[in-house]
Amino acid sequence: MARQLSSYLKTHRKRSGFTQRELALLFGNMSDAKVSRCERLQRKPCLETAFACQVIFDVSPHELFPGMYAPVEQAVIERAHLLVQTLYVRKITPRIEHKLQMLRAIIKRASGAC
Amino acid sequence: MKPDTQRQRIVLAVSPSVRGFGFALFEGPRMLIDWGMRYVKKDKNKKCATKVDELVAEYNPDMLLIEDWAAKGCRRKKRIRRLLRLIERCAKKRSLKTLRYSRRQIQQCFAQFGGKTKFEIAKQLADWLPELRQSLPPKRKAWNSEHPYMAVFDATAWAITHFHSVDPDIRPGKDASR
């Protein structure tokens, strides 16, 4: 299902019953103020924090932070289309054909994913 | 591009209480996104309305649900009725659709699930929504005042009643939250 909120970190934190301070402790080297900013996406979580969220809540970073994921996905799809056009200009070799298949799969997967 | 038809409506339900208000935010009938109490002191109506406005600004819901203060049999005090009207006016300024449900409609909705009293309805909600289970107040004794956190369960009940009125087949059971 298409999501609306940009971050579901607060939802999962409240479900788990943790306070922001306790979550900051689990993240390590973080304050409760930073957790609050991550919940509102005023501060983009780093990769370690995103992975820590996955460990704690068993939810992928892309589901936790759809607001961050969506623009990245859109930009990658646009660049994939550009790359397809660039590759078509060249002589089609087995290697280029394989790359084109990969690009088509990327575009198809991104278009069909929730 | 993902079709917009798949987008679930975000619904904010608010229930005023003596110390502030309880709220419940749903994304579709099966996902409780946020819930809790907002406490205020002094100039309660103005501060409550401001906090509701903050919630609306933060989550940008599609709809606001409140109690129908004009319904027959509504036992709310004057201050709460004024607050509900104020919340409705604030929502109108933001072009936010507001729906009102009476206590009777809540009771009719939950009667089919075995909930009659406020506590039974709250217990049913806690059963459906595990995240509320830890916050269920104890059953009220005759000499106790109502636990302030019951306002959260009231708000959740408005939301469930709304979804049920839209689609009577909705059963917020085990799949009520992801």
Side-chain angles (χ1 to χ4, degrees), chain A residues 50-102:
Chain A
F51 285 153
C53 289
Q54 183 162 1
V55 171
I56 295 164
F57 302 119
D58 194 23
V59 177
S60 68
H62 125 252
E63 287 180 66
L64 269 176
F65 306 108
M68 279 180 70
Y69 182 81
V72 169
E73 184 188 54
Q74 188 59 36
V76 167
I77 291 174
E78 283 170 12
R79 288 193 285 267
H81 280 295
L82 279 172
L83 190 53
V84 164
Q85 287 168 17
T86 309
L87 290 173
Y88 264 129
V89 171
R90 299 185 199 174
K91 183 184 171 187
I92 305 293
T93 61
R95 180 172 286 191
I96 293 200
E97 184 55 45
H98 179 71
K99 287 180 191 176
L100 285 168
Q101 278 180 5
M102 284 296 298

Side-chain angles (χ1 to χ4, degrees), chain A residues 1-5 7-8 10-12 14-17 40 59 63 73-74 110-111 113-114, chain B residues 1-2 6-10 23 27 31-36 38 58-59 62 131 134 177-178:
Chain A
M1 295 258 178
R3 294 296 183 190
Q4 262 195 313
L5 295 193
S7 169
Y8 289 89
K10 188 177 184 182
T11 302
H12 287 278
K14 288 184 94 165
R15 278 187 194 169
S16 63
R40 286 171 286 150
V59 177
E63 287 180 66
E73 184 188 54
Q74 188 59 36
S111 306
C114 287
Chain B
M1 289 288 288
K2 298 166 187 82
Q6 291 185 3
R7 198 186 123 238
Q8 292 278 21
R9 286 178 160 255
I10 291 188
F23 72 93
E27 186 173 313
M31 188 166 174
L32 182 58
I33 306 175
D34 197 2
W35 64 96
R38 291 290 183 265
E58 184 180 350
Y59 289 111
D62 296 296
E131 48 268 61
Q134 54 188 315
S177 60
R178 221 167 63 79

